[in-house]
Amino acid sequence: MMDTPRHNFSGYQLISMVLFIVIGSIIVFSLLNVLPRLLDNKNFQVLSAKSYPLKSNIAIDALLKINFTKEVVDALENGIPLTIAVEVQVFHKQTWWRNTLIKESVKLFELRYHPLTNIHEVKNRATNERYSFNSRQEAMAILGTIQGAQLIEQKMLDPDKIYCVQIRTLLDISYLPTALRQLAAVSSSWRLESSWYRWTLKKLQPEQTK
Amino acid sequence: MIKLIFSGPATLLIILLMLFFSLYMISSASMDAEQFRQLYYLLLAVNLVILVMLIFLIARQGFRLRCQLKRHVAGSQLTLRMVIIFVSLAVLPALTVYSFSIHFIHRSIDSWFDVAVEQALEDAMDLSRSAMDEKKKTMLRQIRRLSDEILVDLNQLSIVSLRELREKSGVEEVTLMTSRRGILGSNSIEEEEIIPDLPSPELLLPLRQGRDHVVLDLSKGGDRMIRVLVRINIKNKNDFLVLQALSPLSVRQHRLAASVQQAYSEYKGLVYLRKPLKLSFILTLSLVLLLGLLSAVWAAFFSAKRIASPIRDLAEGTKAVAEGEYHKPIPLLNDDDFGLLIQSFNKMVRRLAQTHNALEESHQQAKQQRDYLEVVLNNLSSGIISLSQVKEIRTSNPEASLILGVNVEYYHNFSLFQLTKEKPELETLIRRIMTSIQNRVKYWSEEVTLTEVDGSKKNLLCRGNALVDGGYVIVLENVTSLVQAQRDAAWGEVARRLAHEIKNPLTPIQLSAERLRHKYLKTMDKKDAETLDRLTTTIVNQVDSMKEMVKAFSEYAKMPELKMQALDIEKLLMEVVELYHSNDKLEIRQDLAISGTLVEADQGRLRQVFHNLIKNALEAAAHQDKVILRVQTRLLEENSRHWCLLELIDNGPGFPEELLNNIFDPYVTNKPKGTGLGLAIVKKIIEEHGGVIVAENISNQSMLSAGYGAKVVIKLPIVDKLKQPNEALQEKNF
């Protein structure tokens, strides 16, 4: 009688292992995303926001607080352009797991410092429009003030449904130079983002809630 | 579940592949902003989980190896050594490469930056800044001067004044506005320019503080303008007017300034990124090194385990074989050299198992034969003792112990002579056996009479046979019964023939004598008649006497069948003894201790025995003034058998010493008129009951008044004992 080689690996084992990695990754990913938000981040905040009908559209006004940490200011003054994102979402409000996203808008603004003229330049990345400011505070003040920005056309909204709007602002580290990107991803000084500021659009009557 | 997930080489291979892929994805995502935003944290999480898994796997392997080392598991030392070697082989080059790479990265990145270049850029920047400042200052002075010259009276200002100012200063556009940026007037070189370019409110701040202001915008896509803002005070009012003059830079000036600014910004950016870049490279390299090291350590564990596994299996297999476990084949992992070795080992073990089985089978057969022989020997009526080469007892059967009256089993591995310590009576027998053995007689046979401690004799037929291995086997047969039976048969035949031969002529003799007397007594004279009468009477009487003797012979020759029944032996004895209480000359002393003891016996025959013995005692002590008969009963345990002993002791002269050995033989008597059959019949009856009778003389009769006496001991086997001896004693005492 010949002895036959022994094998000890099964498909079930492979599936188990992949499941383990997937579940583990989801847990760690959630922790990586949730933990920074749990910290009290006061540098980026949405101070106030509201929406109102403007002609055939819904417009929003918002006041954002944008402050950079020392490390970020240092990078800016050393010629590193910073990208600030303002995200706005409109969704049909139902039970929380059934909320339907109607519209999502992300505005990206690039802030750059010019040492020769000591000017801070803000560029809308979508339209390439540029604005020069003599100081960073001036630039931040302008960036933090949103007035009459078009949100969504009224005809896209059903008057019988309840809609929610949420807005937040953050420093988008994905536009940083590659060398800086990974470092910024794991540094709390670079993880600058506000929490979502949310209010309800009810029967086209803007009502501010938080 | 955990064990299922984390076992097997394929698991780790997949984990490593996933880790490499994930690292690659991280690297790729770092290069692309969109991918970075979407994937970076997820990939980071995956990487962390996989790294933790890898570390856990290695820690688990390490812990298991530690446990194996503690338990001295076969192959664990080898595994440890191989792990150390493999890890050393992998780690040392990796660390060398790592340190050199770090050094190289530092040097390479640092080499990008040159102090001279940096200084030159700083100087260029300063120069540009100075040139621009000079230009701004010149323009500010010029606008201020022209403003002071032309805009003297604010009430008479007109477009003409503004045009004059613009033309004289050579700027592109002049605008006069209020402090709140209300346009009062404007003149531009571009005729179609209707709406002037207004400054931001922040630009007016220095003017509010009483200072003029000039700014330059060089940003890409910017207006490349020098913006001069001059404060014009209004008399008697706190308010002021603002004169703004816009003068474009020349294309060359703008290009040069923008170029300097861009180069400077980029260089500053690079200098700033030097540290994160180094950190990023070091981080990546460290991660790759960590991954490499962990992979190497795991691979070391895996390889060492894989190499040591067949060795451990072989060691365990050998251990199992050493412990007699032949049915545990070693699993075959691979078809390599070790596989070949394991196959050979398994084949060897199989053959060993077959041999062992055959051996076991033959051993079993031998055991069965030995058991069979043992059963046969145990059931033999002959005693068998085997001796070793050094003449020590090797084996014996129970019958040997019975025959010799010593438990021979206790003396295994001892010399035969040791038996005499327990029973000195065996010395003659053993001496004769050992003499034959020492004379190297291969086969011998001898009949030996063994005198027991109670005086009884045993006829033993001893046979010896030398064994091939130098040992000896002795067969003992108790032929006492046979000898006795032969003797009894012979005596019976003698008695029968004697009775037959004598009995036949006795009647004619008696009749003839009576006829003689009857016929001739009357015819004879008185004197002759008396003589005849006396003679014939003597003949008749002697014939009667002979008839009695012949009757006794006949009785001895053919005793009737025994009617056995269980009876209280002590009670029976005392019933017979009671019959002699009426004899005044006889004093009976009792020492009884076996009341209720049952013996399987013929009541009539035992009565005959007791009568004979008591009568013998009375006759023997007849010349004494007082005949004392002592009756004793007691129990005896001998060779696991229970006996009752009945002792009758008189105060007579005892048996004649010359007859003592044959006192129970027929025709042995010291009485003038005795037939010599009384004690022979007694002995025959006792032996028919499976008992023993012994006669002896006693010299010290402390219990009796006379000095000497005869003692007869009857030993009968007990069938059942109704009461324990102690109980019997208690009954008696109470």
Side-chain angles (χ1 to χ4, degrees):
Chain A
M1 189 180 73
M2 283 295 290
D3 296 316
T4 50
R6 180 175 64 183
H7 300 284
N8 55 0
F9 186 71
S10 66
Y12 177 63
Q13 195 177 353
L14 179 66
I15 293 165
S16 307
M17 191 193 63
V18 171
L19 269 177
F20 186 88
I21 291 174
V22 168
I23 294 167
S25 302
I26 289 169
I27 294 167
V28 177
F29 176 69
S30 308
L31 286 175
L32 283 173
N33 272 288
V34 170
L35 274 179
R37 289 176 197 177
L38 293 177
L39 302 170
D40 193 18
N41 194 339
K42 299 282 185 192
N43 287 309
F44 274 49
Q45 279 182 303
V46 179
L47 298 174
S48 64
K50 63 178 181 181
S51 55
Y52 51 89
L54 187 67
K55 297 179 183 172
S56 61
N57 294 316
I58 300 289
I60 60 167
D61 289 351
L63 193 58
L64 312 174
K65 178 188 171 187
I66 298 171
N67 269 343
F68 294 126
T69 57
K70 190 171 163 288
E71 288 82 1
V72 178
V73 172
D74 192 30
L76 180 70
E77 288 176 351
N78 278 286
I80 306 297
L82 305 175
T83 302
I84 292 144
V86 179
E87 293 179 13
V88 186
Q89 292 178 341
V90 180
F91 52 88
H92 176 207
K93 191 179 179 185
Q94 297 176 78
T95 327
W96 65 271
W97 69 88
R98 287 172 57 210
N99 286 346
T100 317
L101 191 65
I102 305 295
K103 188 179 180 187
E104 183 177 26
S105 167
V106 181
K107 301 282 182 199
L108 297 171
F109 299 96
E110 186 184 281
L111 176 64
R112 193 185 286 266
Y113 172 67
H114 296 291
L116 183 62
T117 51
N118 202 21
I119 277 174
H120 286 81
E121 182 192 75
V122 174
K123 183 177 87 176
N124 186 332
R125 287 182 75 103
T127 59
N128 263 343
E129 287 176 46
R130 292 164 189 272
Y131 309 94
S132 296
F133 302 93
N134 282 325
S135 69
R136 194 175 68 249
Q137 286 72 19
E138 188 185 337
M140 293 301 98
I142 295 298
L143 264 178
T145 308
I146 297 169
Q147 280 186 337
Q150 275 190 24
L151 179 62
I152 191 167
E153 287 182 72
Q154 289 197 43
K155 63 182 180 186
M156 287 179 73
L157 303 175
D158 185 343
D160 297 327
K161 287 181 180 173
I162 299 169
Y163 296 92
C164 266
V165 185
Q166 61 182 13
I167 183 170
R168 71 166 179 171
T169 178
L170 57 102
L171 176 68
D172 196 336
I173 56 173
S174 61
Y175 289 99
L176 287 172
T178 313
L180 194 56
R181 217 175 274 168
Q182 290 194 46
L183 189 71
V186 292
S187 163
S188 61
S189 302
W190 286 89
R191 293 290 299 270
L192 300 175
E193 65 179 71
S194 72
S195 51
W196 285 101
Y197 187 96
R198 189 175 302 174
W199 70 96
T200 309
L201 269 178
K202 195 177 176 184
K203 293 185 180 177
L204 304 182
Q205 294 301 313
E207 183 188 337
Q208 190 175 328
T209 59
K210 183 174 182 182
Chain B
M1 180 75 176
I2 294 285
K3 194 176 176 183
L4 184 73
I5 292 171
F6 294 108
S7 60
T11 309
L12 204 89
L13 201 64
I14 289 166
I15 289 175
L16 286 177
L17 284 174
M18 286 174 80
L19 193 57
F20 275 114
F21 178 71
S22 187
L23 279 172
Y24 170 76
M25 287 299 288
I26 280 192
S27 169
S28 169
S30 302
M31 298 296 166
D32 184 271
E34 192 60 29
Q35 275 190 12
F36 183 87
R37 191 168 37 243
Q38 288 172 355
L39 293 173
Y40 186 78
Y41 288 109
L42 183 64
L43 291 171
L44 197 64
V46 172
N47 268 290
L48 282 174
V49 169
I50 293 174
L51 267 175
V52 167
M53 274 175 78
L54 200 56
I55 290 166
F56 172 77
L57 274 174
I58 290 165
R60 187 165 159 264
Q61 293 277 8
F63 179 74
R64 283 171 71 178
L65 182 59
R66 188 165 162 264
C67 291
Q68 285 178 351
L69 282 168
K70 271 190 177 176
R71 284 189 279 118
H72 301 287
V73 172
S76 55
Q77 286 284 351
L78 180 69
T79 310
L80 177 68
R81 275 188 214 137
M82 290 176 81
V83 165
I84 292 170
I85 291 168
F86 286 158
V87 169
S88 307
L89 284 174
V91 168
L92 290 176
L95 281 177
T96 311
V97 170
Y98 176 74
S99 57
F100 273 102
S101 301
I102 296 292
H103 183 66
F104 180 74
I105 285 168
H106 276 286
R107 285 192 63 183
S108 301
I109 292 177
D110 287 344
S111 71
W112 296 350
F113 307 99
D114 193 313
V115 179
V117 172
E118 192 171 356
Q119 190 57 51
L121 269 174
E122 287 283 351
D123 292 347
M125 192 65 180
D126 280 347
L127 186 65
S128 302
R129 213 174 265 148
S130 305
M132 288 299 158
D133 284 349
E134 190 55 42
K135 190 168 178 64
K136 284 194 293 186
K137 280 177 189 168
T138 308
M139 195 171 159
L140 180 61
R141 275 199 299 273
Q142 188 185 11
I143 297 296
R144 165 54 65 189
R145 184 175 53 79
L146 288 170
S147 146
D148 291 345
E149 282 175 9
I150 297 167
L151 306 175
V152 179
D153 188 358
L154 292 175
N155 294 323
Q156 292 179 358
L157 278 177
S158 64
I159 294 298
V160 179
S161 306
L162 290 175
R163 181 184 291 171
E164 184 188 349
L165 197 148
R166 180 183 63 75
E167 285 172 356
K168 280 188 176 176
S169 62
V171 297
E172 197 169 76
E173 182 187 291
V174 288
T175 307
L176 188 65
M177 62 191 90
T178 63
S179 60
R180 289 180 179 78
R181 299 197 301 166
I183 300 168
L184 298 173
S186 177
N187 185 266
S188 174
I189 197 166
E190 301 287 339
E191 291 296 332
E192 62 272 17
E193 197 80 40
I194 299 167
I195 302 168
D197 185 357
L198 292 179
S200 62
E202 288 74 19
L203 286 177
L204 297 180
L205 275 175
L207 279 79
R208 291 185 197 285
Q209 293 164 359
R211 292 183 286 115
D212 294 335
H213 191 46
V214 57
V215 291
L216 174 66
D217 185 3
L218 285 175
S219 59
K220 199 183 275 182
D223 49 11
R224 297 176 296 172
M225 289 287 184
I226 296 176
R227 191 186 296 262
V228 177
L229 297 163
V230 176
R231 176 182 167 124
I232 301 169
N233 292 321
I234 304 169
K235 284 178 184 174
N236 303 324
K237 279 188 180 177
N238 285 332
D239 205 0
F240 62 91
L241 296 179
V242 177
L243 177 66
Q244 173 184 270
L246 294 174
S247 172
L249 282 176
S250 69
V251 174
R252 187 167 174 274
Q253 277 177 330
H254 177 260
R255 186 173 54 79
L256 288 173
S259 171
V260 168
Q261 178 173 268
Q262 191 179 352
Y264 180 78
S265 288
E266 283 176 1
Y267 191 81
K268 284 278 277 184
L270 275 178
V271 170
Y272 176 80
L273 286 175
R274 176 165 59 174
K275 197 177 160 191
L277 193 62
K278 279 182 188 175
L279 203 64
S280 178
F281 276 130
I282 290 168
L283 206 68
T284 309
L285 258 179
S286 301
L287 203 64
V288 171
L289 176 76
L290 180 67
L291 176 64
L293 286 184
L294 289 176
S295 310
V297 171
W298 179 82
F301 268 110
F302 178 72
S303 308
K305 199 175 150 191
R306 207 165 168 78
I307 292 170
S309 172
I311 293 171
R312 189 172 60 242
D313 286 349
L314 272 175
E316 281 174 2
T318 313
K319 195 178 167 191
V321 169
E323 287 168 357
E325 175 63 65
Y326 299 103
H327 305 289
K328 198 176 163 186
I330 300 173
L332 186 63
L333 289 170
N334 292 308
D335 287 329
D336 55 7
D337 293 342
F338 274 118
L340 204 64
L341 184 62
I342 286 169
Q343 274 185 357
S344 303
F345 181 84
N346 285 343
K347 199 183 282 180
M348 184 189 77
V349 170
R350 274 198 294 275
R351 285 195 179 163
L352 264 178
Q354 284 167 359
T355 312
H356 180 263
N357 286 343
L359 202 67
E360 193 73 28
E361 206 172 317
S362 66
H363 178 70
Q364 203 63 31
Q365 282 176 354
K367 190 172 178 293
Q368 280 173 357
Q369 283 181 352
R370 199 170 58 239
D371 290 347
Y372 170 75
L373 267 177
E374 203 171 315
V375 170
V376 169
L377 285 176
N378 287 348
N379 289 286
L380 272 180
S381 59
S382 305
I384 293 174
I385 297 172
S386 69
L387 301 179
S388 65
Q389 291 171 331
V390 290
K391 310 304 177 254
E392 285 175 349
I393 301 171
R394 196 156 62 187
T395 55
S396 65
N397 67 343
E399 193 59 29
S401 301
L402 273 177
I403 291 172
L404 296 178
V406 177
N407 194 340
V408 185
E409 274 189 34
Y410 291 155
Y411 294 93
H412 282 184
N413 300 323
F414 288 102
S415 162
L416 265 179
F417 279 110
Q418 294 293 322
L419 297 176
T420 59
K421 285 187 178 173
E422 188 177 329
K423 193 171 179 182
E425 293 80 12
L426 294 174
E427 189 175 349
T428 316
L429 170 70
I430 290 168
R431 202 167 287 285
R432 288 174 72 170
I433 291 171
M434 292 309 287
T435 307
S436 301
I437 291 171
Q438 279 160 7
N439 289 340
R440 299 180 185 279
V441 181
K442 279 194 174 176
Y443 177 80
W444 53 266
S445 176
E446 199 169 348
E447 193 169 333
V448 182
T449 302
L450 177 66
T451 306
E452 294 287 357
V453 68
D454 57 3
S456 63
K457 292 188 187 310
K458 266 186 192 168
N459 296 92
L460 302 181
L461 180 63
C462 301
R463 287 197 299 272
N465 212 335
L467 296 172
V468 183
D469 64 353
Y472 227 84
V473 64
I474 299 161
V475 180
L476 301 167
E477 278 187 72
N478 188 354
V479 292
T480 312
S481 306
L482 186 65
V483 168
Q484 189 61 44
Q486 284 175 347
R487 193 181 292 168
D488 288 351
W491 282 118
E493 185 62 22
V494 168
R496 194 182 60 75
R497 280 178 178 274
L498 211 60
H500 180 71
E501 295 299 328
I502 294 171
K503 196 178 176 182
N504 286 345
L506 282 182
T507 305
I509 289 168
Q510 193 178 24
L511 287 174
S512 296
E514 283 175 355
R515 196 170 170 188
L516 273 174
R517 191 169 64 171
H518 182 70
K519 192 174 179 180
Y520 296 107
L521 195 61
K522 297 169 190 171
T523 61
M524 295 177 96
D525 57 17
K526 192 178 177 183
K527 194 179 174 183
D528 290 339
E530 281 177 0
T531 305
L532 182 65
D533 183 46
R534 186 166 46 86
L535 291 172
T536 52
T537 303
T538 302
I539 289 168
V540 168
N541 286 342
Q542 287 302 315
V543 168
D544 280 342
S545 176
M546 283 181 77
K547 273 186 176 174
E548 283 297 317
M549 194 170 71
V550 167
K551 188 185 170 192
F553 282 162
S554 296
E555 278 180 5
Y556 178 78
K558 47 173 185 182
M559 285 196 181
E561 207 60 22
L562 292 175
K563 293 173 184 169
M564 304 295 271
Q565 59 179 337
L567 52 90
D568 186 343
I569 188 69
E570 192 178 272
K571 191 180 168 191
L572 179 70
L573 174 63
M574 293 319 294
E575 277 174 11
V576 176
V577 170
E578 283 299 318
L579 296 174
Y580 293 88
H581 266 296
S582 56
N583 191 338
D584 296 335
K585 203 182 169 183
L586 178 66
E587 182 189 338
I588 296 169
R589 295 182 183 175
Q590 303 171 3
D591 182 8
L592 307 174
I594 59 167
S595 175
T597 304
L598 293 183
V599 169
E600 190 82 23
D602 185 323
Q603 190 176 353
R605 302 298 287 273
L606 279 190
R607 276 178 193 279
Q608 188 184 350
V609 167
F610 298 147
H611 274 300
N612 272 353
L613 290 174
I614 294 169
K615 265 167 67 181
N616 265 358
L618 283 173
E619 285 169 8
H623 63 280
Q624 304 281 357
D625 295 336
K626 191 80 174 174
V627 179
I628 300 171
L629 179 66
R630 183 177 172 81
V631 182
Q632 289 183 167
T633 58
R634 62 189 167 94
L635 288 171
L636 175 71
E637 188 178 341
E638 195 177 76
N639 294 334
S640 307
R641 290 185 71 184
H642 291 90
W643 303 83
C644 66
L645 287 184
L646 311 172
E647 295 175 355
L648 296 169
I649 307 162
D650 64 33
N651 59 341
F655 298 107
E657 283 298 325
E658 68 274 9
L659 299 179
L660 194 57
N661 288 339
N662 304 314
I663 197 71
F664 291 107
D665 288 349
Y667 315 119
V668 175
T669 181
N670 60 342
K671 294 180 208 167
K673 289 184 179 177
T675 58
L677 288 173
L679 286 177
I681 289 169
V682 163
K683 190 186 181 194
K684 195 174 179 192
I685 292 170
I686 293 299
E687 284 176 351
E688 281 174 349
H689 282 82
V692 176
I693 185 163
V694 179
E696 58 187 47
N697 289 327
I698 50 171
S699 54
N700 182 15
Q701 281 187 295
S702 58
M703 298 296 289
L704 301 172
S705 57
Y708 297 94
K711 179 182 180 183
V712 176
V713 181
I714 300 169
K715 193 162 83 173
L716 287 170
I718 293 173
V719 171
D720 188 15
K721 194 158 63 70
L722 294 179
K723 292 175 184 173
Q724 292 294 325
N726 288 343
E727 291 170 354
L729 278 171
Q730 282 168 7
E731 272 182 12
K732 189 173 175 248
N733 292 337
F734 287 110

